[in-house]
Amino acid sequence: MLDGPSDDLDLAGRINFDRPQSARVWNALLMGKDNFEADRRAVEEIVKVDPGMPHYARQCRAFLVRTVRFLAAEAGIRQFLDIGTGLPTAQNTHEVAQAVAPESTIVYVDNDPLVLLHARALLTNTTPEGLSTYVEADVREPETIIAAARNVLDFTRPIAVMLLGILGHATDDYPTMRRILDRLMGPVPSGSYLVLLDGARTEDKVYLDAIVRCAEVGHPYHLRTPRQLEACFQDLELVEPGLVPVNRWRPDPPGSDIDPPCNAYGGVGLKP
Ligand SMILES: C[S@@+](CC[C@H](N)C(=O)[O-])C[C@H]1O[C@@H](n2cnc3c(N)ncnc32)[C@H](O)[C@@H]1O
């Protein structure tokens, strides 16, 4: 976990200004201010191909809010392991969870130095009863994440493991993706949940062309088919409505999902 100003200097020195970075591109798509010229140029190119991309990003954030609210309010979850946190924005995981249950504990995980710099300032701003903290780790090293999380979370009580828009960055290899999920979900107890959101290989040619453009501008994302994403829940009980375009997951208010189906798919699964 982070500690002291020397960490800040070290982190600042590791920021790559020349190439687009996932967290900053995501921030630019969400109209945030924590991004650089390289990220904005990448977004410009991607949006030229598919002008719907910023809208998908907002739909993904709305999915995060609805799933965390469901977990805190309806499923009684009080511990969250949010891997691939992104740069702080409105309604971060701890804010949504602690608005329902102030005692909630959140461990954020990311490997981007700018995310880590912002994390100390913003994400650790928590309720007096709760806790939110930060781990620098790569999702491709699940054991490191679990070991760090054990310092904060109680692994005898249910935990929501959240992977939203990260695994398409982390690996192009589907079996590797499945192994990462198994190694993260293996140590958490019965009653825990997986929240997964990923770009899906749909039939939408404009979107698929934009994903090709992403790779061309140095920001590759590896899509899985909806069937492959659904199979990630095979040892879990998928919560209704299952794995669906994210704007179709329990829209709030019900019936407000009038937009076409989003190309990002998401779901929530209970570990029996
Ligand atoms: C598209 S953003 C999604 C942010 C947030 N989960 C959300 O849904 O708004 C992906 C995040 O995953 C992080 N990330 C990408 N690859 C990673 C890796 N191998 N290990 C840890 N974090 C990673 C990026 O730094 C970025 O913050």
Side-chain angles (χ1 to χ4, degrees):
M1 300 200 196
L2 297 174
D3 192 25
S6 58
D7 282 344
D8 283 1
L9 282 178
D10 173 51
L11 286 170
R14 284 166 39 206
I15 294 174
N16 183 335
F17 295 92
D18 302 329
R19 288 179 64 82
Q21 303 292 315
S22 145
R24 291 162 10 201
V25 168
W26 194 238
N27 177 266
L29 279 169
L30 290 166
M31 312 290 276
K33 293 190 168 51
D34 301 313
N35 47 71
F36 303 121
E37 186 58 34
D39 312 306
R40 291 190 286 275
R41 269 207 309 272
V43 166
E44 256 172 54
E45 292 301 317
I46 298 163
V47 169
K48 266 187 217 162
V49 181
D50 185 352
M53 282 290 192
H55 185 55
Y56 298 150
R58 289 194 295 277
Q59 289 179 325
C60 289
R61 284 303 300 187
F63 171 82
L64 179 150
V65 172
R66 293 197 305 279
T67 52
V68 172
R69 202 171 280 147
F70 159 79
L71 290 166
E74 294 183 44
I77 293 292
R78 298 291 178 264
Q79 303 190 98
F80 297 80
L81 180 57
D82 181 356
I83 307 170
T85 307
L87 286 153
T89 174
Q91 296 202 284
N92 301 294
T93 300
H94 71 286
E95 289 156 338
V96 180
Q98 290 175 346
V100 177
E103 71 276 23
S104 300
T105 300
I106 293 86
V107 175
Y108 289 111
V109 181
D110 209 290
N111 68 348
D112 181 299
L114 188 66
V115 173
L116 296 161
L117 270 174
H118 280 269
R120 185 179 355 230
L122 287 179
L123 299 177
T124 49
N125 165 17
T126 174
T127 55
E129 308 90 317
L131 176 70
S132 106
T133 188
Y134 213 87
V135 172
E136 177 178 10
D138 192 307
V139 71
R140 289 165 291 200
E141 293 168 7
E143 282 76 19
T144 306
I145 293 175
I146 296 295
R150 280 189 195 282
N151 293 327
V152 183
L153 303 177
D154 175 357
F155 272 65
T156 66
R157 289 172 46 230
I159 295 169
V161 178
M162 301 171 54
L163 292 142
L164 275 61
I166 174 176
L167 286 173
H169 287 300
T171 176
D172 60 351
D173 182 59
Y174 180 66
T176 302
M177 172 184 180
R178 294 293 298 273
R179 274 196 299 277
I180 291 172
L181 288 170
D182 287 347
R183 284 152 68 197
L184 289 169
M185 290 307 291
V188 297
S190 164
S192 293
Y193 284 85
L194 169 68
V195 187
L196 181 68
L197 175 168
D198 229 337
R201 182 163 292 287
T202 62
E203 307 282 298
D204 182 343
K205 177 147 183 355
V206 173
Y207 172 72
L208 296 179
D209 286 348
I211 295 295
V212 171
R213 192 76 188 117
C214 282
E216 288 167 354
V217 299
H219 180 63
Y221 200 88
H222 307 289
L223 302 179
R224 334 285 172 182
T225 64
R227 191 185 286 257
Q228 283 177 317
L229 293 174
E230 191 165 44
C232 295
F233 291 90
Q234 75 176 20
D235 299 325
L236 308 174
E237 291 168 11
L238 255 176
V239 167
E240 282 298 316
L243 181 95
V244 289
V246 289
N247 57 328
R248 297 285 188 263
W249 199 93
R250 301 189 180 206
D252 183 16
S256 58
D257 55 333
I258 50 168
D259 293 328
C262 183
N263 287 301
Y265 275 53
V268 176
L270 167 68
K271 181 168 176 175

